[in-house]
Amino acid sequence: MEALAVRMSQLGSDVEAAVRVVMFYDTLMRRRVDLPALARASANLAECPAGIRLTGTGRTIRMTPDGREAPGPPAVTTSAPITLDEEEIGTVWLERPTPAGLLDELLLDRLAIAVATAVERYGPARTTMADPALVELVIGADTDEAARARALRLLGFAADLPVRAVAVRTPHPLDRIGTLLCPDRPVKAAQLADAGVVLATTVDASRLPPDVRAGIGAAGIPARSWREARTALRFTTARQPVVHHADLGAVALLAHLPEDAVRADPDVAAIARIAACDPDALDTLDAYCTTGSLRRAAAVLHLHHTSVARRLDQLGKALGLELTEPAGLLRAGLALTAWRLLSG
């Protein structure tokens, strides 16, 4: 309202016309008109083609002043973003063959507000970011099923589709991550205290940037999926930034061991001593445990395999394990994973 008042104060003798524009869109919103009607009315008011595009769905509406769909490609002359829940969800524009009119900016402002209102009214908002309170109801272990079902419905998820939870730590905007994980179906995200949460019916983690850590729970009961996702997130590393809980198998049990018992384990204590003295040595151990091969580890580390063999021999002596033997490699891998879980 403050921005509107400033803009109208700059119009001088055209303030009366500006008030009519504001009242025009207020009337359209009260009548709950749909998007085609908004585009049609705007084109008629502006006396030039007007357009609306929603980013999430790709839907585009263009109308001429006489109420028909505009032919040919759009020739945008003036545009404005559509914002809902502090997220840009699309664009509105005018296609004026003459210089922009004095009221065009105000007209597009009010059109964008009317479009956002209509999008929110006629179905779940096409934004990725969601009310954290609703998301917490969905993933909460103590939420009763009626409240969970209502929260899912308000977020736009169909009752008969299983929802998958993803726990995320990312330097990128969370709404972008949600869109990358699930570009074509409903997806909602919210930032909680310790991690971002993304809810979706399908997940494609291959689209994530390499600097994003993500733990993915199984589809089904959202509360269980979220617990799995948070556990999987704890197992992520720079070398393995995405972890599916289902792929962890029995290794996931490490996350539920008492911390005191883990710290007291001789193998974990040895890993901690090595980390304090030579952190790079653990990268060599990680590469070897991950690949299971001296030559593949050397390729990952960009070293000659003899250099890796020498490092592993030193590590084996420090750990008191024979790393070339399956039993020694298994113990070292478990100890390294347990130590990471402790150190966060």
Side-chain angles (χ1 to χ4, degrees), residues 100-334:
L102 188 62
L103 296 174
D104 283 2
E105 189 177 350
L106 176 62
L107 184 153
L108 288 174
D109 232 19
R110 307 314 289 177
L111 173 57
I113 292 171
V115 170
T117 302
V119 168
E120 192 171 30
R121 178 183 298 128
Y122 291 110
R126 300 299 180 184
T127 56
T128 301
M129 297 305 291
D131 182 347
L134 280 179
V135 173
E136 287 195 84
L137 275 176
V138 169
I139 62 177
D142 299 326
T143 305
D144 67 77
E145 292 311 307
R148 196 189 317 276
R150 181 176 181 274
L152 282 168
R153 186 169 63 252
L154 289 172
L155 289 173
F157 292 102
D160 58 341
L161 289 178
V163 173
R164 187 184 299 265
V166 183
V168 177
R169 289 202 178 96
T170 172
H172 307 283
L174 192 56
D175 60 312
R176 179 190 167 205
I177 299 304
T179 302
L180 289 172
L181 282 168
C182 186
D184 301 320
R185 297 194 180 186
V187 57
K188 293 294 176 182
Q191 185 65 47
L192 301 186
D194 57 347
V197 53
V198 177
L199 300 175
T201 53
T202 61
V203 170
D204 181 6
S206 66
R207 299 164 52 88
L208 291 176
D211 55 351
V212 172
R213 301 284 186 95
I216 303 175
I221 301 171
R224 181 190 301 164
S225 185
W226 175 240
R227 286 197 303 271
E228 294 175 348
R230 290 184 65 185
T231 297
L233 181 63
R234 294 180 63 192
F235 285 87
T236 60
T237 65
R239 189 163 282 121
Q240 192 176 7
V242 176
V243 172
H244 290 256
H245 186 272
D247 294 338
L248 291 172
V251 175
L253 296 174
L254 289 175
H256 305 290
L257 294 175
E259 289 190 5
D260 290 344
V262 174
R263 283 194 182 90
D265 180 81
D267 290 349
V268 176
I271 290 288
R273 287 194 298 271
I274 293 170
C277 299
D278 186 7
D280 289 341
L282 293 188
D283 192 42
T284 301
L285 180 60
D286 176 61
Y288 184 58
C289 290
T290 301
T291 62
S293 161
L294 193 64
R295 291 187 179 275
R296 286 199 293 268
V300 167
L301 296 167
H302 305 292
L303 296 171
H304 193 273
H305 67 90
T306 56
S307 298
V308 176
R310 186 165 54 253
R311 289 187 182 186
L312 288 175
D313 183 59
Q314 293 171 347
L315 278 167
K317 290 176 181 177
L319 291 169
L321 299 173
E322 181 52 66
L323 296 180
T324 58
E325 295 294 329
L329 181 60
L330 176 62
R331 282 179 58 181
L334 288 174

Side-chain angles (χ1 to χ4, degrees), residues 43-111:
N44 183 265
L45 179 64
E47 299 182 334
C48 70
I52 300 169
R53 178 180 296 113
L54 298 179
T55 307
T57 61
R59 184 183 183 188
T60 299
I61 303 167
R62 294 173 60 230
M63 293 293 183
T64 61
D66 58 6
R68 294 180 296 176
E69 291 189 12
V76 179
T77 53
T78 315
S79 65
I82 306 166
T83 305
L84 182 59
D85 295 336
E86 299 183 0
E87 181 181 341
E88 190 172 316
I89 64 168
T91 309
V92 293
W93 68 86
L94 296 177
E95 302 175 28
R96 193 181 292 284
T98 57
L102 188 62
L103 296 174
D104 283 2
E105 189 177 350
L106 176 62
L107 184 153
L108 288 174
D109 232 19
R110 307 314 289 177
L111 173 57

